[in-house]
Amino acid sequence: MKVAACLIAALSSTSAFVPGSSGAFGRTQQLSETPFFVDTSDEIPESAITLATSLKQDFLEAEPYWSQDAVPVNVFKNKAPFTGQIVSTKRIVGPKATGETCHIIINHNGDFPYWEGQSWGVIPPGTREKDGKPHSVRLYSIASSRYGDDMTGKTGSLCVRRATYWCPELQAEDPAKKGICSNFLCDTSPGDEINMTGPAGKVMLMPEEDPTTDYIMVATGTGIAPFRGFVRRLFAEDTPAAAVYKGEAWLFLGVANSDALLYDDEFQLAKEQNPENFRIDYALSREQENKNGGKMYIQDKVEEYADEIFAKLDNGAHMYFCGLKGMMPGIQDMLAGVCEGKGIDYNEFIKGLKKKGQWHVEVY
């Protein structure tokens, strides 16, 4: 069965913006190979392992599986939110990372279904100081497939970076200006309750009717969240989509340094076991140089493969972007430059991709 020990281990144990089978990843992983976000001291009940390894991930599918006619949207709203429960909150970056990022698993008991590429809203507890009203909803891209890290369909995960503010006058972090929701989430403990809305959005869904479709995924930081869900669905789980997928999923991730890489162990395993169907390229701005000797940003890494990417787009590939909105101007300028070199009208080129549904952007 397409089940990894790293996913089983999650049994024991986000990007934000305001309003018949073989081993895991397609093809075998030993139970000792757990990802860095799993505390290996946790005890995993034998019953949990048996459950996770005995299920095919086909019980939350549409009919046919690729149909998007019944995608759940805004089932729970601000005035009547869903109450989930924290399973685990774990730091998933190294000591030299720029900031703290956590992987948060939430139990919804199967009562809050979602699809890969959607977001959950989180309502932090308390009220706003300025007017005493409840805090507004923050949206976080879901970082797991619809089956969750335990593959039972009863959990979902978020990838959240703790938002802090460094005060140059105090030469210290100013707690009064910290991110309300991200700090709430990163400080949660198992058993804590969390009020949630959604699921939100359809723009980042995967079109699965044609199993030869190529997916080009471009992320910065916690914008990796929806693409982790994509990779799990295609390469880590025993889903109908995984069984027939013959295209290429190509992931680009931009972070500051190696310690800031997210889910690298899972992605490397997917690449190792699916070399014909999965590729990954990193842009490490503080460790790599671009062709001009400057820092390697995400647009520079994508530009290295411009000819291949444009060929894929001409053949129907879908291109996704997720992360801080500041990533898009550099991406757009780079693509415009490539278009100019190829004698292509950039605006018409992008308009054509949007018209055919090949262009997917979710930035915050």
Side-chain angles (χ1 to χ4, degrees), residues 24-348:
F25 295 102
R27 326 309 183 205
T28 309
Q29 183 181 21
Q30 300 301 315
L31 288 179
S32 61
E33 295 175 345
T34 55
F36 55 81
F37 64 82
V38 172
D39 182 354
T40 54
S41 66
D42 289 341
E43 293 185 5
I44 308 171
E46 184 66 30
S47 59
I49 296 176
T50 301
L51 174 63
T53 56
S54 64
L55 293 176
K56 290 184 66 174
Q57 286 70 54
D58 61 359
F59 52 92
L60 295 177
E61 302 296 322
E63 184 57 49
Y65 75 88
W66 42 260
S67 173
Q68 297 182 357
D69 292 341
V71 177
V73 177
N74 296 326
V75 177
F76 293 94
K77 300 178 174 61
N78 296 26
K79 293 183 178 180
F82 179 84
T83 301
Q85 189 174 67
I86 299 295
V87 175
S88 65
T89 300
K90 296 180 184 293
R91 178 186 173 103
I92 57 172
V93 291
K96 296 181 181 180
T98 52
E100 179 182 13
T101 300
C102 294
H103 182 78
I104 302 164
I105 301 176
I106 302 167
N107 178 27
H108 59 78
N109 202 37
D111 298 324
F112 198 173
Y114 59 88
W115 282 30
E116 300 78 15
Q118 290 192 295
S119 300
W120 271 340
V122 176
I123 306 175
T127 57
R128 301 185 302 200
E129 290 186 7
K130 63 179 181 180
D131 55 17
K133 294 182 179 180
H135 290 296
S136 57
V137 173
R138 273 71 163 180
L139 293 179
Y140 292 85
S141 297
I142 300 171
S144 54
S145 80
R146 69 192 72 180
Y147 294 100
D149 284 8
D150 60 2
M151 298 192 196
T152 64
K154 296 184 178 182
T155 68
S157 302
L158 300 179
C159 179
V160 180
R161 174 168 174 166
R162 185 188 296 273
T164 58
Y165 174 77
W166 178 265
C167 178
E169 294 181 0
L170 297 175
Q171 286 295 296
E173 291 183 358
D174 185 348
K177 297 181 179 180
K178 68 181 182 180
I180 298 297
C181 198
S182 67
N183 279 268
F184 159 67
L185 287 169
C186 290
D187 287 336
T188 53
S189 300
D192 288 351
E193 293 188 341
I194 174 174
N195 288 328
M196 307 164 66
T197 64
K202 288 186 176 182
V203 70
M204 297 291 282
L205 298 178
M206 286 194 298
E208 296 179 330
E209 184 171 3
D210 180 358
T212 67
T213 299
D214 291 336
Y215 304 114
I216 304 168
M217 304 162 281
V218 182
T220 57
T222 55
I224 195 65
F227 307 138
R228 179 178 184 257
F230 289 11
V231 173
R232 291 171 67 85
R233 177 166 176 79
L234 293 175
F235 304 118
E237 299 173 345
D238 197 357
T239 64
V244 298
Y245 187 62
K246 297 296 187 293
E248 181 178 75
W250 192 353
L251 175 63
F252 291 87
L253 171 61
V255 293
N257 55 37
S258 298
D259 268 21
L261 288 172
L262 301 169
Y263 310 111
D264 179 55
D265 59 342
E266 296 184 20
F267 297 145
Q268 294 299 337
L269 184 61
K271 179 180 178 181
E272 176 186 341
Q273 298 183 343
N274 302 272
E276 301 300 318
N277 303 103
F278 183 62
R279 293 170 66 177
I280 183 165
D281 281 280
Y282 292 142
L284 307 178
S285 61
R286 300 189 182 182
E287 296 179 5
Q288 300 172 337
E289 291 186 352
N290 61 26
K291 65 181 181 181
N292 297 318
K295 291 184 177 181
M296 176 70 77
Y297 292 112
I298 190 68
Q299 64 267 23
D300 302 314
K301 181 57 67 174
V302 174
E303 186 178 15
E304 290 182 359
Y305 301 94
D307 289 344
E308 191 172 356
I309 288 172
F310 271 62
K312 285 181 175 291
L313 290 171
D314 286 343
N315 289 324
H318 285 245
M319 195 164 190
Y320 296 79
F321 302 89
C322 190
L324 293 174
K325 61 183 178 182
M327 71 184 281
M328 290 310 295
I331 290 283
Q332 291 166 332
D333 289 345
M334 178 273 294
L335 291 175
V338 174
C339 282
E340 183 178 1
K342 293 179 176 293
I344 299 172
D345 184 302
Y346 169 73
N347 292 323
E348 290 299 316

